[in-house]
Amino acid sequence: MRTAVISDIHANLDALNVVLADIEARGAERIICLGDIIGYGPNPLECLDLVMDKCDFAMMGNHDFAVLYEPTSFNTTAEQAAFWTRKQFEQEPDPELRKQRYEFLGNLLVRKWEEGSLYVHASPRRPINEYIFPDDVISAPNKMSSIFDRIEERCFVGHTHVTGIFTNEPDFYPPADLGESYKWGSDEKVVVNPGSVGQPRDRDPRASYALMDDEQIEFVRLEYDIPAVVEKVKAIDDLSDFLGQRLLEGR
Ligand code: ZN
């Protein structure tokens, strides 16, 4: 089945709209979301409503968790953004819609298995909060082997906002090293990160997502109107200007 995998939207509606239009144009049959739908960005409600409407299932990200329950290990900027985001949910005048959104947040999945594939927001060991960084293949080989021990064939993660594939050598390949796509191998375990829709951090500011079928996975980057989002962030006092500026640089 032709499946789109999106992650880390972070309330960036402009980026999400461009990604969803591309997914539709390419005829994906379903969309999976790896979490962090909200937090940081200026359009949390619109983004949540779109994910609710368009995605087959969605995972619980640390920022979704922060808005629903409480922020854990957040810096001041992130915590302030989480509380502002929660206020937007609280201020929804339609009680039915308010309830529907909270229920959707509360029902986000922590782990989802589908045949040999595992879906989480962060890592198989700590599905909401553990980062799997490209550097870990050099600096933390034990961490990587412990992560791969928990994987049958494939694991899909977001959380770092860095697009690419980890193999169990262990090694990390950004899309440029793969020719933008990767053919599934039978004897290799992989951790796939589709990158971030709404706040890429691999120095490429374009929105990132992945499109896969039985044969391969392709990484897609898309331009969108970043200055428009920077302006929206600037206009909201509780969102630090840095949250807009970083979008311009993809960091
Ligand atoms: Zn995130």
Side-chain angles (χ1 to χ4, degrees):
M1 200 184 333
R2 221 167 144 68
T3 301
V5 187
I6 63 175
S7 191
D8 296 277
I9 298 156
H10 285 289
N12 185 336
L13 180 63
D14 303 68
L16 180 60
N17 277 334
V18 168
V19 166
L20 290 176
D22 192 71
I23 289 170
E24 197 176 334
R26 288 165 183 255
E29 291 155 272
R30 63 172 186 157
I31 307 173
I32 291 167
C33 175
L34 301 180
D36 276 5
I37 303 160
I38 54 178
Y40 291 142
N43 293 105
L45 303 182
E46 296 90 333
C47 288
L48 191 92
D49 291 350
L50 275 171
V51 169
M52 232 175 358
D53 183 41
K54 306 273 185 194
C55 293
D56 261 50
F57 61 86
M59 310 311 299
M60 173 74 81
N62 53 321
H63 286 260
D64 311 311
F65 184 95
V67 170
L68 184 63
Y69 300 108
E70 59 173 319
T72 47
S73 339
F74 273 31
N75 61 37
T76 314
T77 300
E79 185 172 285
Q80 201 178 6
F83 291 141
W84 174 83
T85 302
R86 186 183 288 164
K87 200 160 74 185
Q88 308 317 300
F89 279 76
E90 293 294 335
Q91 286 174 350
E92 167 58 50
D94 176 354
E96 260 314 299
L97 187 54
R98 193 164 63 226
K99 183 166 159 250
Q100 203 188 346
R101 286 178 182 142
Y102 273 127
E103 277 178 3
F104 184 79
L105 277 181
N107 288 321
L108 290 173
L109 306 172
V110 174
R111 281 190 188 82
K112 163 92 175 169
W113 282 99
E114 215 174 40
E115 293 167 27
S117 292
L118 172 63
Y119 299 89
V120 290
H121 174 64
S123 97
R125 299 196 304 187
R126 293 177 52 204
I128 299 178
N129 275 301
E130 183 176 55
Y131 291 92
I132 308 177
F133 288 115
D135 283 353
D136 289 341
V137 301
I138 309 287
S139 62
N142 291 341
K143 171 182 172 182
M144 291 309 294
S145 64
S146 154
I147 283 168
F148 274 105
D149 283 348
R150 288 165 167 80
I151 297 171
E152 275 181 33
E153 289 173 39
R154 297 166 203 163
C155 179
F156 295 84
V157 303
H159 198 39
T160 61
H161 304 201
V162 176
T163 314
I165 287 191
F166 296 87
T167 58
N168 56 348
E169 286 153 347
D171 218 333
F172 175 76
Y173 301 91
D177 290 5
L178 299 164
E180 313 304 328
S181 70
Y182 175 84
K183 284 214 182 322
W184 304 123
S186 51
D187 54 353
E188 201 166 54
K189 289 186 185 185
V190 288
V191 173
V192 178
N193 192 321
S196 168
V197 169
Q199 195 196 82
R201 292 181 194 158
D202 53 4
R203 301 273 162 185
D204 179 346
R206 296 176 298 167
S208 182
Y209 84 96
L211 202 54
M212 63 177 173
D213 56 25
D214 294 342
E215 308 276 298
Q216 61 158 19
I217 184 157
E218 179 192 352
F219 296 98
V220 183
R221 297 306 279 252
L222 298 166
E223 304 211 2
Y224 70 97
D225 190 351
I226 299 175
V229 185
V230 175
E231 286 309 309
K232 284 195 220 177
V233 171
K234 255 192 202 156
I236 298 166
D237 284 344
D238 287 339
L239 299 182
S240 157
D241 287 356
F242 168 68
L243 294 172
Q245 286 303 318
R246 70 186 305 175
L247 299 177
L248 293 164
E249 295 158 46
R251 70 184 169 102

